[in-house]
Protein backbone atom coordinates (compact mmCIF):
# COMPACT_ATOMS: atom_id res chain seq x y z
CA UNK A 1 0.00 0.00 0.00
CA UNK A 2 2.83 2.38 0.95
CA UNK A 3 6.36 2.19 -0.40
CA UNK A 4 9.04 4.52 0.95
CA UNK A 5 11.82 4.51 -1.63
CA UNK A 6 15.10 5.97 -0.28
CA UNK A 7 13.15 8.75 1.41
CA UNK A 8 14.91 11.33 3.58
CA UNK A 9 14.12 14.73 5.12
CA UNK A 10 16.56 17.43 6.17
CA UNK A 11 16.03 20.96 7.42
CA UNK A 12 18.44 23.85 7.02
CA UNK A 13 19.00 25.62 10.34
CA UNK A 14 21.31 28.52 9.55
CA UNK A 15 24.52 26.86 8.39
CA UNK A 16 23.61 23.59 10.12
CA UNK A 17 21.68 20.68 8.59
CA UNK A 18 19.17 18.85 10.80
CA UNK A 19 18.44 15.27 9.78
CA UNK A 20 14.77 14.66 10.62
CA UNK A 21 14.52 11.42 8.61
CA UNK A 22 17.53 9.39 7.48
CA UNK A 23 17.42 7.63 4.09
CA UNK A 24 14.63 5.10 4.54
CA UNK A 25 13.18 2.28 2.44
CA UNK A 26 10.09 0.48 3.78
CA UNK A 27 6.97 -1.31 2.52
CA UNK A 28 3.67 -1.14 4.37
CA UNK A 29 1.11 -3.70 3.19
CA UNK A 30 -2.60 -3.11 2.77
CA UNK A 31 -4.41 -4.08 5.95
CA UNK A 32 -1.30 -4.00 8.11
CA UNK A 33 -1.13 -2.58 11.66
CA UNK A 34 2.32 -1.04 12.16
CA UNK A 35 3.67 1.06 15.03
CA UNK A 36 6.40 3.71 14.73
CA UNK A 37 8.24 4.17 18.02
CA UNK A 38 11.31 6.04 19.26
CA UNK A 39 12.58 8.85 21.47
CA UNK A 40 11.23 12.37 21.37
CA UNK A 41 12.70 14.18 18.36
CA UNK A 42 13.70 11.02 16.49
CA UNK A 43 11.57 11.77 13.40
CA UNK A 44 8.30 9.89 13.98
CA UNK A 45 5.95 12.79 13.14
CA UNK A 46 8.18 13.60 10.16
CA UNK A 47 7.82 10.04 8.84
CA UNK A 48 4.04 10.00 9.37
CA UNK A 49 3.52 13.40 7.69
CA UNK A 50 5.60 12.25 4.70
CA UNK A 51 3.43 9.12 4.43
CA UNK A 52 0.29 11.25 4.75
CA UNK A 53 1.17 13.40 1.73
CA UNK A 54 1.65 16.55 3.79
CA UNK A 55 5.43 17.00 3.75
CA UNK A 56 7.62 16.61 0.68
CA UNK A 57 10.81 14.59 1.23
CA UNK A 58 14.24 16.10 0.56
CA UNK A 59 15.08 13.02 -1.49
CA UNK A 60 13.38 9.79 -2.57
CA UNK A 61 9.76 8.92 -3.42
CA UNK A 62 6.68 8.08 -1.38
CA UNK A 63 4.44 5.61 -3.22
CA UNK A 64 0.81 5.19 -2.17
CA UNK A 65 -1.50 2.81 -3.99
CA UNK A 66 0.87 2.80 -6.95
CA UNK A 67 1.15 6.60 -7.25
CA UNK A 68 4.18 8.72 -6.38
CA UNK A 69 2.55 11.12 -3.91
CA UNK A 70 4.85 14.08 -4.44
CA UNK A 71 4.77 13.85 -8.23
CA UNK A 72 1.04 14.62 -8.07
CA UNK A 73 -0.24 18.19 -7.96
CA UNK A 74 -1.17 19.67 -4.58
CA UNK A 75 -4.85 19.33 -5.53
CA UNK A 76 -4.53 15.69 -6.62
CA UNK A 77 -2.70 14.84 -3.41
CA UNK A 78 -5.31 16.61 -1.27
CA UNK A 79 -8.10 14.75 -3.05
CA UNK A 80 -6.36 11.39 -2.58
CA UNK A 81 -5.92 12.16 1.13
CA UNK A 82 -9.56 13.19 1.50
CA UNK A 83 -10.81 9.95 -0.07
CA UNK A 84 -8.38 7.43 1.35
CA UNK A 85 -6.65 8.68 4.48
CA UNK A 86 -7.58 9.64 8.01
CA UNK A 87 -4.89 11.59 9.88
CA UNK A 88 -4.87 12.17 13.65
CA UNK A 89 -2.49 15.02 14.41
CA UNK A 90 -0.29 15.14 17.51
CA UNK A 91 -1.77 18.56 18.22
CA UNK A 92 -5.30 17.68 17.08
CA UNK A 93 -5.89 20.65 14.72
CA UNK A 94 -9.56 21.03 15.63
CA UNK A 95 -11.51 23.94 14.21
CA UNK A 96 -11.89 26.30 17.19
CA UNK A 97 -15.19 27.93 16.22
CA UNK A 98 -17.01 24.60 15.61
CA UNK A 99 -18.42 22.31 18.29
CA UNK A 100 -17.08 18.77 18.79
CA UNK A 101 -20.04 17.44 16.76
CA UNK A 102 -19.51 19.93 13.93
CA UNK A 103 -15.78 19.15 13.85
CA UNK A 104 -16.55 15.45 13.41
CA UNK A 105 -19.16 16.22 10.72
CA UNK A 106 -16.70 18.12 8.51
CA UNK A 107 -15.39 15.07 6.58
CA UNK A 108 -18.96 13.75 6.25
CA UNK A 109 -20.06 17.10 4.83
CA UNK A 110 -17.24 16.91 2.28
CA UNK A 111 -18.37 13.41 1.40
CA UNK A 112 -21.86 14.67 0.55
CA UNK A 113 -23.76 12.65 3.15
CA UNK A 114 -27.30 13.68 4.01
CA UNK A 115 -27.41 16.08 6.95
CA UNK A 116 -29.32 13.50 8.96
CA UNK A 117 -26.76 10.74 8.30
CA UNK A 118 -23.90 13.06 9.11
CA UNK A 119 -25.34 13.94 12.47
CA UNK A 120 -26.20 10.35 13.34
CA UNK A 121 -22.77 9.01 12.33
CA UNK A 122 -20.89 11.78 14.15
CA UNK A 123 -22.92 11.36 17.36
CA UNK A 124 -22.38 7.61 17.25
CA UNK A 125 -18.59 8.01 17.05
CA UNK A 126 -18.46 10.61 19.82
CA UNK A 127 -20.62 8.36 21.96
CA UNK A 128 -18.36 5.36 21.43
CA UNK A 129 -15.40 7.47 22.54
CA UNK A 130 -17.17 8.57 25.72
CA UNK A 131 -17.98 12.08 24.50
CA UNK A 132 -21.73 11.81 23.95
CA UNK A 133 -22.46 14.52 26.51
CA UNK A 134 -19.75 16.85 25.15
CA UNK A 135 -21.03 17.03 21.57
CA UNK A 136 -21.96 20.70 21.73
CA UNK A 137 -18.80 21.91 23.45
CA UNK A 138 -16.26 23.89 21.46
CA UNK A 139 -12.59 22.77 21.71
CA UNK A 140 -11.80 25.37 24.40
CA UNK A 141 -14.67 23.95 26.47
CA UNK A 142 -13.14 20.48 26.41
CA UNK A 143 -10.29 18.89 28.31
CA UNK A 144 -7.13 18.07 26.33
CA UNK A 145 -7.86 14.35 26.29
CA UNK A 146 -11.42 15.07 25.12
CA UNK A 147 -10.03 17.19 22.25
CA UNK A 148 -7.73 14.30 21.36
CA UNK A 149 -10.70 11.95 21.14
CA UNK A 150 -12.68 14.41 19.00
CA UNK A 151 -9.69 14.51 16.61
CA UNK A 152 -9.83 10.71 16.43
CA UNK A 153 -13.60 10.68 15.85
CA UNK A 154 -13.20 13.17 13.00
CA UNK A 155 -10.52 10.95 11.45
CA UNK A 156 -12.75 7.87 11.59
CA UNK A 157 -15.90 9.68 10.41
CA UNK A 158 -15.62 9.10 6.67
CA UNK A 159 -14.34 5.56 7.08
CA UNK A 160 -10.92 5.99 5.43
CA UNK A 161 -9.05 2.85 4.32
CA UNK A 162 -5.82 4.12 5.91
CA UNK A 163 -5.52 5.60 9.40
CA UNK A 164 -2.34 7.51 10.30
CA UNK A 165 -2.39 8.43 13.98
CA UNK A 166 0.28 10.53 15.68
CA UNK A 167 0.33 9.78 19.41
CA UNK A 168 -3.46 9.22 19.64
CA UNK A 169 -3.26 8.30 23.34
CA UNK A 170 -0.63 10.73 24.67
CA UNK A 171 -3.14 12.72 26.71
CA UNK A 172 -5.31 9.85 27.86
CA UNK A 173 -5.61 7.89 31.08
CA UNK A 174 -5.18 4.11 30.84
CA UNK A 175 -8.94 3.47 30.52
CA UNK A 176 -9.55 6.02 27.74
CA UNK A 177 -6.41 4.74 26.02
CA UNK A 178 -7.74 1.19 26.02
CA UNK A 179 -11.01 2.48 24.56
CA UNK A 180 -9.10 4.13 21.71
CA UNK A 181 -6.99 1.02 21.13
CA UNK A 182 -10.08 -1.18 20.98
CA UNK A 183 -11.35 1.20 18.30
CA UNK A 184 -8.20 0.98 16.23
CA UNK A 185 -8.13 -2.80 16.54
CA UNK A 186 -11.73 -3.01 15.39
CA UNK A 187 -10.93 -0.86 12.36
CA UNK A 188 -7.96 -3.11 11.67
CA UNK A 189 -10.18 -6.19 11.79
CA UNK A 190 -12.38 -4.51 9.14
CA UNK A 191 -9.37 -4.51 6.83
CA UNK A 192 -8.04 -0.99 7.31
CA UNK A 193 -4.35 -0.13 7.28
CA UNK A 194 -3.30 1.39 10.60
CA UNK A 195 -0.04 3.31 11.10
CA UNK A 196 0.36 4.54 14.68
CA UNK A 197 3.16 6.71 16.05
CA UNK A 198 3.43 6.11 19.77
CA UNK A 199 5.65 6.38 22.85
CA UNK A 200 3.47 3.88 24.67
CA UNK A 201 4.87 0.34 24.62
CA UNK A 202 1.33 -0.88 25.40
CA UNK A 203 0.08 0.64 22.14
CA UNK A 204 3.02 -0.66 20.10
CA UNK A 205 2.38 -4.11 21.50
CA UNK A 206 -0.96 -4.27 19.63
CA UNK A 207 0.69 -3.76 16.23
CA UNK A 208 1.95 -6.62 14.07
CA UNK A 209 5.23 -4.85 13.23
CA UNK A 210 7.20 -2.04 14.82
CA UNK A 211 9.49 0.48 13.11
CA UNK A 212 12.00 1.73 15.69
CA UNK A 213 13.44 5.22 15.20
CA UNK A 214 16.48 6.82 16.79
CA UNK A 215 18.08 10.27 16.89
CA UNK A 216 18.66 11.70 13.43
CA UNK A 217 15.72 9.82 11.96
CA UNK A 218 17.51 6.51 11.58
CA UNK A 219 15.08 3.61 11.64
CA UNK A 220 14.85 -0.16 11.45
CA UNK A 221 12.24 -2.89 11.84
CA UNK A 222 12.18 -4.66 15.17
CA UNK A 223 12.33 -8.44 15.26
CA UNK A 224 8.89 -9.89 14.54
CA UNK A 225 6.38 -9.64 17.39
CA UNK A 226 3.17 -11.49 18.14
CA UNK A 227 0.38 -9.00 18.95
CA UNK B 1 1.20 26.31 51.48
CA UNK B 2 -2.06 25.83 49.58
CA UNK B 3 -5.48 25.51 51.17
CA UNK B 4 -8.53 24.76 49.04
CA UNK B 5 -11.55 25.76 51.13
CA UNK B 6 -14.81 24.31 49.74
CA UNK B 7 -13.72 25.18 46.22
CA UNK B 8 -15.85 24.24 43.22
CA UNK B 9 -16.07 25.15 39.52
CA UNK B 10 -19.06 24.89 37.22
CA UNK B 11 -19.61 25.98 33.65
CA UNK B 12 -22.92 26.97 32.10
CA UNK B 13 -23.46 25.14 28.82
CA UNK B 14 -26.76 26.47 27.46
CA UNK B 15 -29.31 25.35 30.03
CA UNK B 16 -27.01 22.61 31.33
CA UNK B 17 -24.49 22.94 34.16
CA UNK B 18 -21.15 21.15 33.79
CA UNK B 19 -19.39 20.31 37.03
CA UNK B 20 -15.64 20.62 36.33
CA UNK B 21 -14.64 20.54 40.02
CA UNK B 22 -16.88 19.29 42.81
CA UNK B 23 -16.76 21.02 46.21
CA UNK B 24 -13.22 20.31 47.40
CA UNK B 25 -11.27 20.95 50.60
CA UNK B 26 -7.57 20.07 50.62
CA UNK B 27 -4.30 21.19 52.22
CA UNK B 28 -0.99 21.02 50.36
CA UNK B 29 2.05 21.47 52.60
CA UNK B 30 5.19 23.42 51.73
CA UNK B 31 7.78 21.07 50.24
CA UNK B 32 5.25 18.38 49.39
CA UNK B 33 5.23 16.32 46.15
CA UNK B 34 1.61 15.53 45.29
CA UNK B 35 0.14 13.94 42.16
CA UNK B 36 -3.35 14.62 40.78
CA UNK B 37 -4.62 11.68 38.75
CA UNK B 38 -7.88 10.62 37.11
CA UNK B 39 -9.65 9.94 33.82
CA UNK B 40 -9.67 12.37 30.91
CA UNK B 41 -12.22 15.13 31.61
CA UNK B 42 -12.34 14.55 35.37
CA UNK B 43 -11.20 18.07 36.31
CA UNK B 44 -7.41 17.80 36.80
CA UNK B 45 -6.44 20.81 34.67
CA UNK B 46 -9.29 22.74 36.26
CA UNK B 47 -7.95 22.01 39.75
CA UNK B 48 -4.38 22.92 38.77
CA UNK B 49 -5.39 26.19 37.09
CA UNK B 50 -7.44 27.16 40.17
CA UNK B 51 -4.38 26.49 42.37
CA UNK B 52 -2.20 28.47 39.96
CA UNK B 53 -4.31 31.61 40.29
CA UNK B 54 -5.50 31.52 36.69
CA UNK B 55 -9.13 30.46 37.05
CA UNK B 56 -11.53 31.86 39.61
CA UNK B 57 -13.66 29.25 41.42
CA UNK B 58 -17.46 29.35 41.26
CA UNK B 59 -17.51 28.99 45.05
CA UNK B 60 -15.00 28.74 47.90
CA UNK B 61 -11.53 30.20 48.43
CA UNK B 62 -8.03 29.26 47.30
CA UNK B 63 -5.43 30.18 49.92
CA UNK B 64 -1.76 30.43 48.96
CA UNK B 65 0.89 31.40 51.50
CA UNK B 66 -1.82 32.83 53.74
CA UNK B 67 -3.47 34.96 51.03
CA UNK B 68 -6.85 34.36 49.41
CA UNK B 69 -5.78 34.29 45.75
CA UNK B 70 -9.02 35.45 44.19
CA UNK B 71 -9.55 38.30 46.68
CA UNK B 72 -6.36 39.89 45.31
CA UNK B 73 -6.42 42.12 42.25
CA UNK B 74 -5.50 40.63 38.88
CA UNK B 75 -2.18 42.47 39.07
CA UNK B 76 -1.37 41.30 42.59
CA UNK B 77 -2.17 37.74 41.63
CA UNK B 78 -0.04 37.92 38.49
CA UNK B 79 2.88 39.27 40.51
CA UNK B 80 2.56 36.54 43.13
CA UNK B 81 2.54 33.94 40.34
CA UNK B 82 5.57 35.48 38.68
CA UNK B 83 7.59 35.42 41.92
CA UNK B 84 6.50 32.14 43.43
CA UNK B 85 5.04 29.77 40.86
CA UNK B 86 6.18 27.87 37.80
CA UNK B 87 3.37 26.50 35.64
CA UNK B 88 3.82 23.89 32.90
CA UNK B 89 0.75 23.98 30.66
CA UNK B 90 -0.76 20.87 29.09
CA UNK B 91 -0.49 22.65 25.73
CA UNK B 92 2.88 24.31 26.48
CA UNK B 93 1.93 27.89 25.52
CA UNK B 94 5.33 28.69 24.01
CA UNK B 95 5.84 32.03 22.28
CA UNK B 96 5.90 31.10 18.59
CA UNK B 97 8.17 33.87 17.32
CA UNK B 98 10.90 33.24 19.95
CA UNK B 99 13.47 30.45 19.82
CA UNK B 100 13.60 27.74 22.50
CA UNK B 101 16.41 29.66 24.22
CA UNK B 102 14.52 32.96 24.12
CA UNK B 103 11.38 31.29 25.45
CA UNK B 104 13.32 29.95 28.44
CA UNK B 105 14.95 33.36 29.01
CA UNK B 106 11.63 35.19 29.34
CA UNK B 107 11.14 34.61 33.11
CA UNK B 108 14.84 35.44 33.68
CA UNK B 109 14.40 38.70 31.76
CA UNK B 110 11.41 39.56 33.96
CA UNK B 111 13.55 38.81 37.01
CA UNK B 112 16.14 41.37 35.90
CA UNK B 113 19.06 38.98 35.56
CA UNK B 114 22.10 40.09 33.61
CA UNK B 115 21.89 39.13 29.95
CA UNK B 116 24.91 36.89 30.37
CA UNK B 117 23.42 35.05 33.34
CA UNK B 118 20.11 34.63 31.58
CA UNK B 119 21.74 33.01 28.59
CA UNK B 120 23.95 30.74 30.69
CA UNK B 121 21.10 29.61 32.96
CA UNK B 122 18.72 28.99 30.03
CA UNK B 123 21.30 27.01 28.05
CA UNK B 124 22.13 24.92 31.10
CA UNK B 125 18.48 23.95 31.59
CA UNK B 126 17.94 23.13 27.93
CA UNK B 127 21.09 21.05 27.97
CA UNK B 128 19.97 19.08 31.03
CA UNK B 129 16.72 18.30 29.24
CA UNK B 130 18.51 17.04 26.13
CA UNK B 131 17.80 20.12 24.01
CA UNK B 132 21.24 21.72 23.90
CA UNK B 133 21.42 21.43 20.11
CA UNK B 134 17.86 22.76 19.62
CA UNK B 135 18.33 26.08 21.45
CA UNK B 136 17.93 28.21 18.33
CA UNK B 137 14.91 26.41 16.91
CA UNK B 138 11.51 28.09 17.06
CA UNK B 139 8.61 26.01 18.41
CA UNK B 140 7.45 25.03 14.91
CA UNK B 141 10.94 23.69 14.24
CA UNK B 142 10.75 21.37 17.23
CA UNK B 143 9.02 18.05 17.80
CA UNK B 144 6.06 18.03 20.21
CA UNK B 145 8.05 16.35 22.98
CA UNK B 146 10.85 18.88 22.50
CA UNK B 147 8.31 21.73 22.87
CA UNK B 148 7.05 20.10 26.05
CA UNK B 149 10.57 20.08 27.48
CA UNK B 150 11.14 23.72 26.52
CA UNK B 151 7.94 24.56 28.44
CA UNK B 152 9.37 22.74 31.45
CA UNK B 153 12.73 24.50 31.16
CA UNK B 154 10.97 27.87 31.04
CA UNK B 155 9.02 26.96 34.18
CA UNK B 156 12.18 26.03 36.07
CA UNK B 157 14.22 29.00 34.83
CA UNK B 158 13.50 31.47 37.60
CA UNK B 159 13.66 28.82 40.31
CA UNK B 160 10.07 29.12 41.59
CA UNK B 161 9.28 27.67 45.04
CA UNK B 162 6.15 25.95 43.67
CA UNK B 163 5.97 23.93 40.44
CA UNK B 164 2.54 23.13 39.00
CA UNK B 165 2.92 20.78 36.04
CA UNK B 166 0.02 19.64 33.85
CA UNK B 167 0.91 16.35 32.15
CA UNK B 168 4.62 17.23 31.77
CA UNK B 169 5.42 13.80 30.27
CA UNK B 170 2.38 13.13 28.07
CA UNK B 171 4.34 13.49 24.83
CA UNK B 172 7.56 11.86 25.94
CA UNK B 173 9.10 8.43 25.44
CA UNK B 174 10.01 6.47 28.59
CA UNK B 175 13.61 7.71 28.62
CA UNK B 176 12.79 11.41 28.22
CA UNK B 177 10.05 10.97 30.81
CA UNK B 178 12.54 9.57 33.33
CA UNK B 179 14.83 12.53 32.64
CA UNK B 180 11.97 14.93 33.45
CA UNK B 181 11.01 12.99 36.57
CA UNK B 182 14.61 13.03 37.81
CA UNK B 183 14.47 16.80 37.37
CA UNK B 184 11.27 17.17 39.38
CA UNK B 185 12.60 14.90 42.11
CA UNK B 186 15.78 16.97 42.32
CA UNK B 187 13.75 20.15 42.66
CA UNK B 188 11.70 18.45 45.36
CA UNK B 189 14.86 17.51 47.27
CA UNK B 190 15.81 21.22 47.19
CA UNK B 191 12.64 21.94 49.13
CA UNK B 192 10.24 22.96 46.35
CA UNK B 193 6.55 22.13 46.38
CA UNK B 194 5.62 19.99 43.37
CA UNK B 195 2.04 19.47 42.15
CA UNK B 196 1.89 17.22 39.10
CA UNK B 197 -1.21 16.32 37.09
CA UNK B 198 -0.58 13.03 35.33
CA UNK B 199 -2.17 10.02 33.65
CA UNK B 200 1.03 8.07 34.06
CA UNK B 201 1.00 5.74 37.09
CA UNK B 202 4.83 5.74 36.91
CA UNK B 203 4.85 9.51 37.50
CA UNK B 204 2.24 9.36 40.28
CA UNK B 205 4.31 6.67 42.00
CA UNK B 206 7.09 9.22 42.65
CA UNK B 207 4.80 11.52 44.61
CA UNK B 208 4.26 11.23 48.36
CA UNK B 209 0.48 11.67 48.08
CA UNK B 210 -2.06 11.23 45.32
CA UNK B 211 -5.35 13.07 44.81
CA UNK B 212 -7.64 10.84 42.73
CA UNK B 213 -10.29 12.56 40.59
CA UNK B 214 -13.35 11.12 38.91
CA UNK B 215 -16.03 12.29 36.48
CA UNK B 216 -17.69 15.52 37.59
CA UNK B 217 -14.57 16.70 39.42
CA UNK B 218 -15.12 14.61 42.53
CA UNK B 219 -11.83 13.88 44.30
CA UNK B 220 -10.34 12.12 47.29
CA UNK B 221 -6.91 11.30 48.70
CA UNK B 222 -5.63 7.82 48.02
CA UNK B 223 -4.41 5.70 50.91
CA UNK B 224 -0.89 6.73 51.86
CA UNK B 225 1.83 5.55 49.48
CA UNK B 226 5.58 5.15 49.86
CA UNK B 227 7.39 6.77 46.94
N1 LIG C 1 11.10 22.92 10.64
C1 LIG C 1 12.13 22.31 11.26
N2 LIG C 1 13.36 22.87 11.22
C2 LIG C 1 14.40 22.27 11.84
N3 LIG C 1 14.33 21.12 12.53
C3 LIG C 1 13.12 20.52 12.61
C4 LIG C 1 11.96 21.09 11.98
N4 LIG C 1 10.90 20.27 12.26
C5 LIG C 1 11.37 19.25 13.00
N5 LIG C 1 12.71 19.41 13.21
C6 LIG C 1 13.57 18.49 13.95
O1 LIG C 1 13.42 17.20 13.35
C7 LIG C 1 13.47 16.18 14.35
C8 LIG C 1 12.31 15.22 14.16
O2 LIG C 1 11.10 15.87 14.48
P1 LIG C 1 9.74 15.03 14.69
O3 LIG C 1 8.66 16.02 14.98
O4 LIG C 1 9.53 14.12 13.54
O5 LIG C 1 10.07 14.15 15.99
P2 LIG C 1 9.16 13.12 16.79
O6 LIG C 1 9.83 11.80 16.77
O7 LIG C 1 7.75 13.17 16.28
O8 LIG C 1 9.22 13.68 18.27
P3 LIG C 1 8.12 13.66 19.46
O9 LIG C 1 8.09 12.26 19.96
O10 LIG C 1 8.70 14.62 20.46
O11 LIG C 1 6.81 14.13 18.90
C9 LIG C 1 13.46 16.86 15.71
O12 LIG C 1 14.70 16.66 16.34
C10 LIG C 1 13.17 18.34 15.41
O13 LIG C 1 13.91 19.23 16.21
N1 LIG D 1 -15.19 26.29 29.28
C1 LIG D 1 -15.81 25.12 29.56
N2 LIG D 1 -17.16 25.01 29.38
C2 LIG D 1 -17.77 23.84 29.63
N3 LIG D 1 -17.18 22.73 30.09
C3 LIG D 1 -15.85 22.77 30.28
C4 LIG D 1 -15.08 23.96 30.03
N4 LIG D 1 -13.79 23.70 30.31
C5 LIG D 1 -13.73 22.42 30.72
N5 LIG D 1 -14.97 21.86 30.71
C6 LIG D 1 -15.31 20.50 31.14
O1 LIG D 1 -14.81 20.34 32.46
C7 LIG D 1 -14.32 19.01 32.65
C8 LIG D 1 -12.95 19.06 33.29
O2 LIG D 1 -12.00 19.57 32.38
P1 LIG D 1 -10.44 19.44 32.66
O3 LIG D 1 -9.73 20.13 31.53
O4 LIG D 1 -10.12 19.93 34.02
O5 LIG D 1 -10.22 17.86 32.61
P2 LIG D 1 -8.86 17.01 32.76
O6 LIG D 1 -9.01 16.10 33.91
O7 LIG D 1 -7.66 17.93 32.77
O8 LIG D 1 -8.84 16.15 31.43
P3 LIG D 1 -7.60 15.62 30.51
O9 LIG D 1 -7.00 14.49 31.29
O10 LIG D 1 -8.30 15.14 29.28
O11 LIG D 1 -6.67 16.75 30.27
C9 LIG D 1 -14.32 18.33 31.29
O12 LIG D 1 -15.28 17.29 31.27
C10 LIG D 1 -14.63 19.44 30.29
O13 LIG D 1 -15.49 19.01 29.23
MG1 LIG E 1 5.96 13.82 17.11
MG1 LIG F 1 -6.11 18.28 31.44
Amino acid sequence: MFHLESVSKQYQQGDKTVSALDTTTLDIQRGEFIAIVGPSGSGKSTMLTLLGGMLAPTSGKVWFGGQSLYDLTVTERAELRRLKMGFVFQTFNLIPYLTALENVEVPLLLRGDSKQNQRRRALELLDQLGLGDRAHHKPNQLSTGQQQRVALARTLANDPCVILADEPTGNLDPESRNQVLAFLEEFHRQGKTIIVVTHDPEVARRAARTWQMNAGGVGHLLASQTP
Side-chain angles (χ1 to χ4, degrees), chain A residues 26-208:
Chain A
L26 174 69
D27 278 310
I28 296 172
Q29 307 303 328
R30 178 182 299 276
E32 181 172 355
F33 187 162
I34 184 167
I36 299 172
V37 303
S40 171
S42 59
K44 304 180 297 298
S45 296
T46 300
M47 187 163 171
L48 202 74
T49 333
L50 277 163
L51 286 166
M54 289 177 285
L55 182 70
T58 310
S59 69
K61 288 193 187 295
V62 180
W63 297 89
F64 174 64
Q67 304 194 63
S68 169
L69 273 187
Y70 297 97
D71 290 323
L72 301 174
T73 65
V74 174
T75 319
E76 288 171 329
R77 197 157 55 245
E79 185 63 3
L80 190 57
R81 272 210 312 277
R82 189 180 73 73
L83 290 170
K84 304 272 179 153
M85 296 190 194
F87 202 102
V88 188
F89 293 88
Q90 198 167 3
T91 49
F92 326 145
N93 293 14
L94 296 178
I95 300 170
Y97 53 84
L98 297 184
T99 64
L101 183 60
E102 291 163 343
N103 261 285
V104 177
E105 286 175 331
V106 167
L108 299 167
L109 183 87
L110 298 177
R111 187 168 79 168
D113 262 22
S114 76
K115 187 72 196 159
Q116 203 171 0
N117 270 352
Q118 282 178 40
R119 182 126 304 207
R120 192 189 48 73
R121 171 97 183 118
L123 276 171
E124 183 181 10
L125 277 166
L126 286 172
D127 207 48
Q128 288 172 324
L129 286 165
L131 299 171
D133 59 357
R134 293 288 184 268
H136 305 296
H137 288 229
K138 293 208 171 72
N140 68 357
Q141 297 169 327
L142 293 170
S143 80
T144 305
Q146 289 169 341
Q147 290 173 30
Q148 185 160 38
R149 282 177 281 160
V150 174
L152 179 63
R154 177 181 63 181
T155 301
L156 304 174
N158 69 342
D159 212 34
C161 57
V162 181
I163 294 167
L164 304 108
D166 199 343
E167 298 286 350
T169 62
N171 284 292
L172 301 179
D173 53 287
E175 189 172 333
S176 308
R177 178 196 59 187
N178 291 341
Q179 209 173 30
V180 164
L181 286 179
F183 239 78
L184 292 178
E185 287 176 322
E186 173 55 26
F187 268 73
H188 182 229
R189 269 193 294 278
Q190 293 174 15
K192 306 213 185 303
T193 308
I194 316 270
I195 307 171
V196 173
V197 164
T198 183
H199 288 126
D200 194 336
E202 179 58 31
V203 174
R205 204 178 62 75
R206 313 273 182 111

